[in-house]
Amino acid sequence: MKVSAVVLAAGRGERMKESANKVYLPLRGIPVLSYSLRAFAAIPEVDEIIIVTRRGEEGLASRIVRDIARPTRIVPGGKRRQDSARAGAEAASGGVVLIHDAARPFPSPSLIGRVIECVERHGACVPVVPVADTVRYTDPDGFLLADRIERKGLLRMQTPQGFLRDRLLAALAATVETITDDASAVLAAGGRVATVPGEETNIKLTTKGDLLLGEALLQAGIVAREDRNG
Ligand code: CTP
Ligand code: MG
């Protein structure tokens, strides 16, 4: 089945507290968005890449896309992440779509490969990593609540999340509440979602500290800048 990668770059990056959208900030001299585009372009099974952008930022994205050796398309996103995901999936021509946060620059080739294989088998698939810290809620004043949250079995959701395109579109169309990943839409629609192991290095750049961590991972050679363009 044809595979489309949909890279979501249409956010504001407010928590990064920079004037520019975080996906265009340089990471060791290259915009954050470039990393995931190169990662997908290096995977032979990925047939096309859709980049979902904020209005007014199409030019920034098209400059980055120039050196990506895959059919690429830039489409406008929406107000919420799920609106952007829907716009991207609608523009995709593949029977399989991989929805990825541009804010995650380091998905490895093997991670992308695992997700593709898993979605072809199960129809919906998410990379996950176990939660290592103790987790708790606080009250509105910042004091801990006594309720224990069982950490065992608790997982963090990463991207790319892979879906049969039609199944994802139906689920997103039916979702009214605000969600932060695409598996949430499929689950709310009653669908089953399989998992594959994610990666600790597949970090999401949310705050300035994450940028420093990303720089350090690159510097140490723990993650690679994908220079091949498939
Ligand atoms: N995103 C998007 N469209 C939106 C909101 C988010 O395409 N309306 C994208 C972001 O560009 C990002 C990914 O979804 O690559 C994950 O979202 P998040 O990390 O929350 O990024 P932002 O929404 O940009 O950041 P913040 O929430 O701090 O404003
Ligand atoms: Mg956000």
Side-chain angles (χ1 to χ4, degrees):
M1 208 177 290
K2 191 172 164 183
V3 177
S4 304
V6 173
V7 178
L8 303 178
R12 293 169 171 275
E14 279 175 344
R15 286 168 289 175
M16 193 61 77
K17 296 189 165 39
E18 289 278 347
S19 50
N21 178 352
K22 62 186 177 183
V23 306
Y24 301 108
L25 295 176
L27 195 58
R28 299 215 97 207
I30 299 172
V32 168
L33 171 62
S34 296
Y35 287 84
S36 53
L37 298 183
R38 290 178 183 196
F40 285 113
I43 307 296
E45 290 88 348
V46 172
D47 298 288
E48 66 169 3
I49 305 177
I50 313 284
I51 302 114
V52 187
T53 60
R54 252 166 77 78
R55 282 192 201 284
E57 294 182 341
E58 299 86 352
L60 287 171
S62 63
R63 267 199 290 280
I64 292 171
V65 157
R66 239 182 260 159
D67 65 311
I68 301 299
R70 269 297 181 288
T72 56
R73 204 128 59 88
I74 295 172
V75 302
K79 199 160 185 278
R80 301 168 300 174
R81 185 190 176 284
Q82 69 218 68
D83 305 319
S84 298
R86 195 174 168 184
E90 274 168 359
S93 61
V96 166
V97 290
L98 307 177
I99 311 286
H100 183 69
D101 294 330
R104 288 186 195 271
F106 311 129
S108 75
S110 58
L111 173 61
I112 297 170
R114 278 201 292 283
V115 173
I116 293 173
E117 197 172 292
C118 172
V119 64
E120 282 173 344
R121 217 176 128 111
H122 297 291
C125 185
V126 172
V128 299
V129 288
V131 169
D133 297 321
T134 301
V135 287
R136 278 190 183 282
Y137 292 110
T138 57
D139 66 18
D141 300 319
F143 287 87
L144 291 174
L145 295 183
D147 310 65
R148 284 188 60 232
I149 301 167
E150 188 54 61
R151 186 186 64 200
K152 193 161 166 283
L154 209 55
L155 299 163
R156 293 185 284 133
M157 306 295 117
Q158 298 190 332
T159 72
Q161 299 188 352
F163 307 92
L164 294 176
R165 177 178 175 270
D166 295 348
R167 204 181 286 186
L168 175 65
L169 280 173
L172 285 172
T175 304
V176 282
E177 71 273 26
T178 299
I179 50 174
T180 52
D181 76 343
D182 307 289
S184 299
V186 172
L187 291 169
R192 266 159 70 84
V193 181
T195 62
V196 290
E199 291 169 339
E200 290 294 344
T201 50
N202 183 24
I203 59 172
K204 183 158 77 74
L205 308 182
T206 304
T207 61
K208 286 212 168 71
D210 299 326
L211 268 184
L212 296 175
L213 178 57
E215 300 262 358
L217 289 172
L218 283 164
Q219 174 100 55
I222 294 167
V223 292
R225 209 175 87 181
E226 188 55 67
D227 285 320
R228 266 188 318 128
N229 269 319

